[in-house]
Amino acid sequence: MPPRVLIADKLSPAAVAIFKERGVDADVRTGLKKEELLAIIGDYDGLAVRSATKADKDVLAAAKNLKVIGRAGIGVDNVDIPAATAAGIVVMNTPFGNSITTAEHAIAMMFALARQLPAADASTQAGKWEKNRFMGVELYAKTLGLIGAGNIGSIVADRANGLKMRVIAYDPFLSPERAVEIGVEKVELDELLARADVITLHTPLTDKTRNILSREALAKAKKGVLIVNCARGGLVDEQALREALDSGQVGGAGFDVFVDEPATSNPLFGAANLVATPHLGASTLEAQENVALQVAEQMSDYLLTGAVTNALNSPSVTAEEAPKLKPYVALAEKLGALAGQMVDVNVKAIDVAFEGDVASLNVKPLSAALIAGVMRPMLAEVNMVSAPAVAKERGIVVSESRQEASPVYDSLIRVTVTTGMGKRAFAGVVVGGAPRVVEVKSMELEAAFQPAMLYVSNLDKPGFIGALGVLLGEAGVNIATFNLGRRAAGEDAIALVGVDQALDEVLLAKVQALPHVKEVRALAF
């Protein structure tokens, strides 16, 4: 009996044709109410959706035969990925099908702002003929600042170079070699703000990128700058931007995405120099055709051959390997997350070393999990499957080594991250089935990973531990674990402190101000 796929949201008819050609039965039933979906989902091997159908825990619990969910597009907010993973359901998306369309929308926004097209159109159609009111600016020879230079950002750079603009880019994961390849000058954020006549955003929304254009950043920008956001709502402080638009600090803003969507009201609405569209970045006939074709091909491949493409939750691991790898995957994820939170500048290389018994296993999923952890603070959507490709795209050199013997532990994983400021190394082991860190910045210590942790680098001087404990106690922060490491008495030392609640910026600043403290970071796992 051929596999059966339910197409629950509107897709191009070409997708149905592909399923049929490949020998997959596809039923098109759009607009189903939740109870209707629950009643039939158990009959299907695959579910193809866009953004309307919600594959939540209830639906997944009823989907007894479901093997794959395909999202025709990038975002998968409508799919409960943890629940799908627990149920053994592969979740796929189509991350590149609408890249050109989204890039073109950003370019269109640039032109609309530069020549005030929406306001000029409304004025002209009202019969006013205000020829002297609308004085635009050329984009030729202006400086475009990209925040994010991945797939879409590089397409925007290519188009902007064709317009003879100067293109600069801020992206911690962009290598100098990749910058040359896509025709941009790599800069830090403050330099981009100071130089850019136009700023476009092309980055996911993560804790590190949220409000990356903050009130302070907007104040540093060149007066009259044009800002375009066709990426994610929340990358720009909307209230601060409205004030900057009203004051003239920002000359114009083109927004396709907003913090709250559907955006029926917003602080930006009503600004004279705002161009707004209702999340149209992927809305072209070509893009919708592309993502529909891709999702049909990917789902057919998986159902017929087991081949996995653009999966968000499924590394390549056989049933026999899974039990042995599971604790090491957990270690790799935690170790990568530690390394990722400990580096702020551009990553040039990631070296992963496996020592002892783990070196004899299938380490590819472990490397992928570790690489994903390193990059996730800046790229939320990266995962075990996409991490190696994303690293390659960003010009990050990834290397892997194995050593059959481990001097101290039965098995050890070490990651060394090379940045523009040097190298940082971190190592971990599995103890009793749980991951533990045993080396940070070449200093030995042993600590369990806690959901919230405090990292402190300091000079090993008497009184530091007491001062830190008093400070945290006075702030009402309970210490769960406290682990120390040092090079030698009086030299560099580190502390990894497990805490019951995360430290805010004010408390972190107080820790930083303690005598002999060099570096402080709040970590989350």
Side-chain angles (χ1 to χ4, degrees):
M1 185 175 176
R4 296 186 68 193
V5 168
L6 173 64
I7 299 176
D9 292 331
K10 186 177 179 181
L11 293 185
S12 165
V16 182
I18 286 178
F19 280 124
K20 185 176 180 180
E21 291 168 5
R22 298 290 302 275
V24 175
D25 287 344
D27 296 337
V28 180
R29 299 188 64 178
T30 60
L32 293 171
K33 295 179 181 178
K34 183 173 180 177
E35 54 269 24
E36 294 173 326
L37 181 59
L38 287 171
I40 65 172
I41 191 62
D43 296 332
Y44 292 95
D45 303 288
L47 173 66
V49 300
R50 285 179 49 75
S51 55
T53 297
K54 310 301 181 188
D56 59 18
K57 289 182 179 178
D58 296 336
V59 171
L60 295 172
K64 301 301 183 183
N65 295 308
L66 202 64
K67 300 175 180 65
V68 59
I69 298 172
R71 162 68 162 103
I74 299 177
V76 287
D77 295 343
N78 55 320
V79 179
D80 188 328
I81 294 180
T85 303
I89 301 168
V90 174
V91 181
M92 301 176 169
N93 67 349
T94 54
F96 305 117
N98 52 22
S99 299
I100 290 175
T101 288
T102 304
E104 287 186 355
H105 197 67
I107 296 291
M109 283 287 202
M110 287 169 49
F111 276 112
L113 291 171
R115 303 306 295 269
Q116 304 173 65
L117 296 181
D121 171 72
S123 169
T124 305
Q125 294 206 49
K128 296 181 180 181
W129 201 256
E130 298 176 290
K131 184 175 177 66
N132 294 327
R133 175 185 164 192
F134 300 107
M135 183 60 66
V137 295
E138 290 184 350
L139 294 179
Y140 170 78
K142 296 297 191 297
T143 298
L144 170 63
L146 303 175
I147 297 180
N151 186 41
I152 295 173
S154 63
I155 296 172
V156 171
D158 176 70
R159 280 28 173 195
N161 282 321
L163 296 172
K164 306 301 181 185
M165 299 181 77
R166 300 185 184 94
V167 186
I168 59 178
Y170 167 69
D171 186 327
F173 294 99
L174 179 67
S175 69
E177 294 78 16
R178 176 64 176 167
V180 171
E181 183 180 336
I182 64 175
V184 306
E185 177 188 350
K186 180 178 169 65
V187 298
E188 294 302 317
L189 183 58
D190 281 353
E191 183 177 351
L192 182 145
L193 294 170
R195 291 174 55 187
D197 300 297
V198 183
I199 296 173
T200 63
L201 296 114
H202 308 285
T203 182
L205 181 66
T206 71
D207 289 340
K208 284 197 172 184
T209 62
R210 190 181 307 279
N211 286 338
I212 192 168
L213 288 187
S214 60
R215 187 179 302 275
E216 294 75 17
L218 293 171
K220 293 178 182 179
K222 182 184 286 190
K223 186 175 177 62
V225 65
L226 306 179
I227 296 175
V228 172
N229 186 9
C230 295
R232 288 286 184 270
L235 296 174
V236 184
D237 183 328
E238 292 176 343
Q239 184 58 49
L241 177 59
R242 175 58 189 263
E243 295 169 15
L245 286 167
D246 291 344
S247 71
Q249 169 63 16
V250 174
F255 270 54
D256 186 48
V257 290
F258 303 89
V259 172
D260 295 315
E261 295 184 8
T264 53
S265 64
N266 187 276
L268 297 172
F269 291 175
N273 39 1
L274 172 74
V275 178
T277 51
H279 208 142
L280 300 179
S283 297
T284 63
L285 294 173
E286 292 86 351
Q288 298 313 305
E289 186 87 352
N290 286 340
V291 295
L293 297 178
Q294 286 182 23
V295 80
E297 289 284 4
Q298 291 175 192
M299 292 179 69
S300 296
D301 282 345
Y302 181 70
L303 290 171
L304 297 171
T305 70
V308 176
T309 307
N310 294 322
L312 300 174
N313 64 341
S314 178
S316 298
V317 179
T318 67
E320 293 77 16
E321 292 171 331
K324 296 178 182 178
L325 286 176
K326 186 176 180 180
Y328 294 110
V329 169
L331 170 61
E333 289 173 340
K334 292 286 196 299
L335 200 59
L338 171 62
Q341 294 176 85
M342 291 287 289
V343 296
D344 294 320
V345 295
N346 59 300
V347 176
K348 295 183 175 181
I350 301 173
D351 301 299
V352 187
F354 300 94
E355 298 179 5
D357 296 343
V358 67
S360 64
L361 302 178
N362 172 14
V363 298
K364 289 298 181 185
L366 309 181
S367 292
L370 213 156
I371 296 164
V374 172
M375 296 190 291
R376 193 170 287 121
M378 284 297 296
L379 301 169
E381 294 167 353
V382 74
N383 58 75
M384 288 175 64
V385 175
S386 64
V390 172
K392 184 177 181 181
E393 179 186 82
R394 299 302 175 102
I396 299 171
V397 178
V398 176
S399 60
E400 183 184 289
S401 63
R402 305 190 196 202
Q403 181 178 313
E404 292 183 2
S406 180
V408 179
Y409 301 95
D410 291 337
S411 293
L412 179 139
I413 301 176
R414 177 179 287 106
V415 57
T416 304
V417 180
T418 303
T419 71
M421 296 180 65
K423 295 185 177 184
R424 282 193 165 184
F426 310 87
V429 300
V430 173
V431 177
R436 298 178 75 88
V437 58
V438 295
E439 180 186 310
V440 176
K441 291 174 59 179
S442 301
M443 282 179 268
E444 295 180 357
L445 83 171
E446 185 172 330
F449 290 94
Q450 304 291 333
M453 300 191 81
L454 170 67
Y455 166 83
V456 184
S457 173
N458 61 286
L459 286 177
D460 183 37
K461 298 292 184 181
F464 164 72
I465 295 174
L468 178 60
V470 169
L471 180 60
L472 296 180
E474 290 176 346
V477 175
N478 192 50
I479 296 174
T481 60
F482 202 116
N483 300 92
L484 299 168
R486 68 179 187 178
R487 297 192 191 283
E491 297 185 14
D492 284 350
I494 54 174
L496 271 181
V497 186
V499 290
D500 287 345
Q501 63 262 42
L503 277 66
D504 59 24
E505 293 295 331
V506 174
L507 187 51
L508 286 172
K510 290 181 180 179
V511 177
Q512 183 71 62
L514 289 174
H516 312 301
V517 170
K518 293 183 174 183
E519 182 182 8
V520 175
R521 292 178 186 265
L523 306 174
F525 300 96

